[in-house]
Amino acid sequence: MSPTPVTFASPTAPIAYAWEATDEAVAERYGIPIDQVARFDLNTSPVPPDLAVRLLAENRFDRPISEYPPSDYRALVAAAAARYEVGADEIIVGAGADEILDLIAKAFLPPGGSAVIPTPSYAMYRVDTEQRGATVRGVPRLGPEAGFAMDVAGVRVAARGSDVVWLCSPNNPTGLAEPDGAIESLLGFLAADAASEGVESPIVVLDEAYAEFVGTSLLGLRAAYPRFIGIRTASKAYALAGLRVGFAIARPEIIDRMAPYRPPGSVAVPSVAIVTAALRDDDILAGNIGRVERERARLSGALVAAGWTVRPSVTNFVLVDFGTPDAAGRVAEALMRRGLVPRTFPSGHPLAHCLRITVRSEGEDDRVITAARDLAEGRP
Ligand SMILES: Cc1ncc(COP(=O)(O)O)c(C=O)c1O
């Protein structure tokens, strides 16, 4: 008799991350030259830092690309520790913040567990949670009049018995930071609730992918709340998304829990060298942040003048409210016909009536501004 077959397939398929159409797909679909396609959906900066371009051109890294990167990324960790003002034993490196999210989910979300997400927020929190066979407890954010702040009381209730709480400040896709003191008071409540129930408090992840744009950070909260994990990335303010480098910052005992899940050498040799140099450089950050602030004000002002409802933002993207999903869909289609790719939100999403638009170069942003004026004047 043959043995009963064993299956390792997960009984439920996790939700998949949904990208916008690729450059190639947009060019083909709308008959536009591929170099006319501009990405307003990815919250990247349009121009990499000179330092990075020079290092790449020199093709001289601390080891040849025939070799693996150093297994402990020692120089990169030291540069990140100095930049974020934390200990080297409080950092773990990943291939972008996305790999860090994955490591956290693997380390702290058991199958059948649960994670809290103030929604809407970055889509990968749900993807990573569901990939672990855990469930999402979504807590709707307050409305635009309250800056889309998280509902602290609601998150507190949902966090009872949860393994992980995914926070993001400034939040993608809404563009604002949590109000002063909100995250601190949530952590206080979670610690008190866990103490009164005699259980371990949940891991609280604070994704600070956009923190440099506001110039403040809450990484210091790991002192008072030991189960805190902060996340940083080279992708946004450093304009180095293509290098794929991100970090978790947490107390050493939390880093030790994540370390077994880290793949060996997922960050490429050129990425290690360039991000190390970028983290040691003050000018890159200052230059790009100043540029984004000025360009965000110019872009928002021009879009408002064309009749669009642009929500306030402290990041390198803005949320635009078109009132209904149909209206947002029509504008998205008109932008795509011009090779301009906005971030759309699927039907049923709380922001289905909105589009998210990255602040890019003046030249690229002018094309969105022209499109908004065309639409206002009836030229679809
Ligand atoms: C909030 C947030 N976290 C993480 C990421 C992913 O960053 P990385 O490029 O470092 O993987 C993004 C990218 O858009 C993001 O918006």
Side-chain angles (χ1 to χ4, degrees):
M1 216 172 71
S2 57
T4 315
V6 175
T7 172
F8 294 99
S10 165
T12 53
I15 189 168
Y17 186 83
W19 284 269
E20 301 296 339
T22 60
D23 293 11
E24 290 79 3
V26 174
E28 269 167 34
R29 195 184 310 159
Y30 297 97
I32 337 172
I34 196 157
D35 62 3
Q36 287 299 298
V37 178
R39 308 290 330 183
F40 288 88
D41 58 326
L42 295 169
N43 298 346
T44 47
S45 291
V47 185
D50 290 343
L51 171 74
V53 175
R54 200 183 67 241
L55 286 172
L56 266 181
E58 286 172 3
N59 191 24
R60 255 188 318 115
F61 310 115
D62 69 338
R63 61 189 61 204
I65 57 171
S66 52
E67 302 303 324
Y68 288 110
S71 59
D72 59 1
Y73 303 113
R74 183 178 300 202
L76 176 59
V77 166
R83 168 62 53 189
Y84 303 135
E85 301 177 345
V86 303
D89 58 351
E90 296 184 298
I91 293 190
I92 196 164
V93 175
D98 279 344
E99 186 173 73
I100 296 294
L101 299 175
D102 183 61
L103 299 185
I104 293 170
K106 285 175 172 156
F108 296 109
L109 267 174
S114 65
V116 180
I117 307 175
T119 52
S121 196
Y122 182 47
M124 283 306 293
Y125 309 142
R126 178 170 171 198
V127 174
D128 285 311
T129 301
E130 295 191 358
Q131 282 179 355
R132 305 312 305 152
T135 49
V136 169
R137 296 180 180 174
V139 179
R141 290 178 172 275
L142 308 181
E145 64 295 336
F148 297 105
M150 69 169 156
D151 167 3
V152 174
V155 172
R156 177 184 187 178
V157 171
R160 287 236 165 98
S162 285
D163 302 282
V164 169
V165 178
W166 300 105
L167 304 181
C168 184
S169 181
N171 186 48
N172 171 13
T174 49
L176 292 175
E178 294 295 351
D180 285 349
I183 294 176
E184 291 89 328
S185 45
L186 174 67
L187 296 190
F189 293 140
L190 298 187
D193 291 347
S196 75
E197 285 162 30
V199 296
E200 201 167 43
S201 51
I203 287 285
V204 174
V205 181
L206 176 58
D207 185 340
E208 293 195 326
Y210 301 94
E212 289 90 349
F213 293 114
V214 282
T216 54
S217 165
L218 293 177
L219 293 179
L221 289 178
R222 70 196 187 290
Y225 191 89
R227 288 170 62 75
F228 173 93
I229 305 177
I231 298 182
R232 304 300 282 267
T233 177
S235 296
K236 306 301 180 183
Y238 282 96
L240 291 170
L243 295 181
R244 312 303 303 124
V245 180
F247 306 95
I249 290 115
R251 286 165 65 143
E253 59 273 21
I254 297 290
I255 297 293
D256 288 348
R257 292 273 305 274
M258 293 169 64
Y261 299 91
R262 179 170 78 79
S266 61
V267 182
V269 165
S271 300
V272 171
I274 295 170
V275 173
T276 302
L279 286 167
R280 289 186 181 137
D281 183 296
D282 291 327
D283 298 341
I284 294 177
L285 215 47
N288 195 37
I289 291 168
R291 185 197 67 75
V292 167
E293 271 173 16
R294 288 188 297 277
E295 187 54 15
R296 184 178 65 223
R298 190 187 76 90
L299 173 66
S300 302
L303 295 180
V304 168
W308 286 12
T309 303
V310 181
R311 299 287 176 208
S313 166
V314 294
T315 63
N316 64 339
F317 58 86
V318 291
L319 190 69
V320 187
D321 186 339
F322 294 96
T324 65
D326 278 355
R330 279 194 299 275
V331 175
E333 184 63 17
L335 291 173
M336 297 277 272
R337 265 202 305 278
R338 292 162 170 83
L340 311 170
V341 187
R343 185 62 164 142
T344 59
F345 301 98
S347 146
H349 188 282
L351 296 176
H353 56 293
C354 297
L355 298 177
R356 195 194 66 200
I357 295 183
T358 305
V359 177
R360 292 197 52 98
S361 66
E362 276 187 41
E364 287 181 319
D365 292 349
D366 279 344
R367 293 175 59 196
V368 174
I369 295 167
T370 304
R373 289 178 186 150
D374 281 353
L375 292 173
E377 289 161 18
R379 290 186 297 275

